[in-house]
Amino acid sequence: MTLLSCRVAMRALAVALATVAASPALAQQGKIDGADTAWMVVATAIVLMMTIPGLALFYAGMVRKKNVLATMAQSLAVTALVSILWVAFGYSLAFTGDGALLGSTARLFLRGLEMNSISALAKSIPEALFMLYQMTFAIITVALVAGAVADRMRFSAFMTFSARWLAFVYVPIAHWVWGGGFLGSAGLLDFAGGTVVHLNAGIAGLVAAFILGPRRGYGSENLAPFDLSMAVVGTGLLWVGWFGFNGGSALGANPRAVMAIASTHLAASAGALTWMACEWWSRGKPSVLGMVSGAVAGLGTITPASGFVLPWHGVVIGIAAGAICFYACTTVKRIYKYDDSLDVFGVHGVGGMTGTLLCGVFATAALSVSPEMPGGNPGLLEGNPAQMLSQIYGIVATMLWSGIITVILLKIVGVLTPLRASQEEEREGLDISLHGEALQ
C-alpha cells in the first residue's frame, strides 16, 4: 500500500469515527421510518385531544353549573404546566438512562436532542416525537386526579400539587414501568398505562378525596350534573383519542397497533353495555351517566392489556370493567363514605387494577414477539402463571408509592396554601370565587 493510499484510508476512518461519535443515536439505535412517524404524529395529537377538550368536557359536564369553568380550567392549566415541566426534567428522568429507580439528567431541557435523534425506546421515530407522545400521557394522568376533588379544591393548591405530583409520583413510576426501571425489568406487562396512568391517578384521587373531605351538601343536597350532553361529547373525544393512547403505544404503524385499537374499541363497547345493564337491573332505568361511565371504565381497563391480547379478550375485559367498576362506584363508595366527586378511583383506579391483573391472565405471546422477546409474553391462560406475580407486584408498588407520596405532597401543599375553598367560596361557586367568571 502506498503512502498516499494509507493517508486516504486513515482519513476515511477518521471521518467514519467522527460521524459515529457525533450521531450515536442514529448509528446505534435505529432508523426513522416515515410511516411510523406519520402515525405517531396523529396518535400524539389525538392523545392531547383527550385532555383538551375531551377530559375538560367530560368532567365539566358532570359538575354543577357554578363550577363548570373552574373544572375546565384545571384541565387547560395542567396541559400547559405539565408540558413545560416535562421538557424541563420529566422526560429526561423518566425515559433516559437505565437506573432501577430513576432515569438520567441527559435530556434536561432537551439538552442534546437534535432533529434526527432517536431514543433506544422508540427506534423508528424521531426522539422529539417520542418525547411529545409521552408528554401527552403525563398531561392526562395529572388532569385525571382533579376529578376526585372537583367542586372544592382551590386552583392555586391544585396547580402547586400538580407540579410536585408530576415530579415525585408520575415521573418515577413511568420510569419504573416503561423507562428501564425495576418494574419493567421484573416482567410487569403494562402496554399503555394501567399502572402508570389509571391506577396511579385513581389512588392519588382517592387519597385526595379523603384528605379534603366531602363536598358541602354531599348526601343531603342535590349535586346533579349541570349538562350531561357535555359529558357525552367528552366521552366521544376520549374514546377516539384512546385509539392513539393504546394504538400509539405500539410506537409504529404496525399490526400490533391495529390489534390494540380493535381490543380497545370492543372493551369500551362492552363496558358501556355492561354498566347500562347493571344500572337497568338495579335501578330500573339506564342512565346516560352510566353509559359514559361504563365506556370510560372499559377504555381504562383494557389499557394495560391492549397490545397483549386478542380482540375477543377485549370484550371479556370490557364486561369485567363494566361490572366491577359499577360496583366500586356504587356499593364500595357507599360503604366507605368517601366523596370521589367524579369517580376517579372507582373508574380509573379500580379499572387500572383490574386490567393489569387480566392482562396477566389473557396475555398472548404471539402478539408480543420481538427481537428482544422472541418467545413473546404469555399469560396465565398460555401456561405462565408466574406472570400474575409480576402483575401483582406492579400493582402493589404503584399503589404504595402513589398513595404515600400523595399524602406527603398534599400535607406540604396545605402548609403553603389552603387546599380547599372556603365555605362561602364553595357556596358561591368556584367559577366566580376563584376565577371571577361564570356561565350565564
Side-chain angles (χ1 to χ4, degrees), residues 19-32:
T19 302
V20 171
S23 306
L26 286 175
Q28 300 173 19
Q29 294 175 351
K31 180 180 179 181
I32 294 174

Side-chain angles (χ1 to χ4, degrees), residues 250-268:
L251 298 175
N254 52 50
R256 195 177 188 189
V258 177
M259 294 295 277
I261 290 171
S263 64
T264 297
H265 181 68
L266 292 172

Side-chain angles (χ1 to χ4, degrees), residues 57-376:
L57 285 167
F58 182 69
Y59 276 178
M62 294 190 290
V63 299
R64 289 168 289 176
K65 183 178 180 179
K66 61 184 180 181
N67 297 320
V68 166
L69 294 178
T71 301
M72 283 189 157
Q74 292 173 330
S75 292
L76 179 61
V78 157
T79 300
L81 176 67
V82 172
S83 297
I84 299 299
L85 296 180
W86 190 251
V87 166
F89 62 83
Y91 171 70
S92 185
L93 295 178
F95 290 102
T96 68
D98 55 2
L101 298 177
L102 204 60
S104 75
T105 60
R107 286 286 191 255
L108 291 182
F109 294 96
L110 305 186
R111 180 182 61 195
L113 190 149
E114 300 175 354
M115 184 172 68
N116 291 320
S117 297
I118 299 175
S119 169
L121 301 173
K123 298 180 181 180
S124 64
I125 63 174
E127 185 179 4
L129 179 55
F130 178 65
M131 179 275 297
L132 287 168
Y133 182 67
Q134 293 299 338
M135 176 194 289
T136 62
F137 276 60
I139 288 168
I140 196 167
T141 306
V142 178
L144 281 172
V145 180
V149 291
D151 287 352
R152 60 199 188 278
M153 191 170 189
R154 294 183 63 86
F155 184 72
S156 57
F158 179 71
M159 293 297 287
T160 305
F161 167 75
S162 294
R164 287 158 175 76
W165 194 83
L166 172 75
F168 294 105
V169 179
Y170 182 83
V171 166
I173 293 178
H175 178 75
W176 296 352
V177 178
W178 294 329
F182 74 95
L183 289 180
S185 300
L188 172 67
L189 297 181
D190 186 351
F191 190 69
T195 54
V196 180
V197 177
H198 297 288
L199 179 59
N200 193 7
I203 292 296
L206 180 65
V207 167
F210 272 115
I211 289 179
L212 266 74
R215 289 166 287 179
R216 302 189 191 282
Y218 179 67
S220 60
E221 297 180 11
N222 182 13
L223 305 181
F226 160 61
D227 187 354
L228 281 176
S229 67
M230 293 172 62
V232 173
V233 173
T235 301
L237 292 169
L238 287 168
W239 194 321
V240 173
W242 232 291
F243 292 174
F245 200 85
N246 290 353
S249 292
L251 298 175
N254 52 50
R256 195 177 188 189
V258 177
M259 294 295 277
I261 290 171
S263 64
T264 297
H265 181 68
L266 292 172
S269 302
L273 292 173
T274 302
W275 192 302
M276 179 181 72
C278 290
E279 195 170 53
W280 211 336
W281 177 76
S282 63
R283 299 178 179 177
K285 293 180 181 179
S287 71
V288 173
L289 179 59
M291 294 179 208
V292 299
S293 298
V296 173
L299 290 164
T301 304
I302 192 61
T303 292
S306 55
F308 299 113
V309 300
L310 297 170
W312 76 265
H313 294 144
V315 176
V316 177
I317 291 173
I319 292 171
I324 294 172
C325 293
F326 173 80
Y327 177 77
C329 293
T330 53
T331 304
V332 173
K333 189 175 180 180
R334 183 173 63 251
I335 291 172
Y336 291 98
K337 297 182 174 63
Y338 59 87
D339 183 16
D340 175 1
S341 305
L342 306 181
D343 290 317
V344 177
F345 173 71
V347 171
H348 297 279
V350 173
M353 187 189 315
T354 302
T356 302
L357 287 172
L358 292 179
C359 178
V361 174
F362 293 114
T364 303
L367 267 65
S368 54
V369 172
S370 67
E372 296 81 10
M373 188 67 66

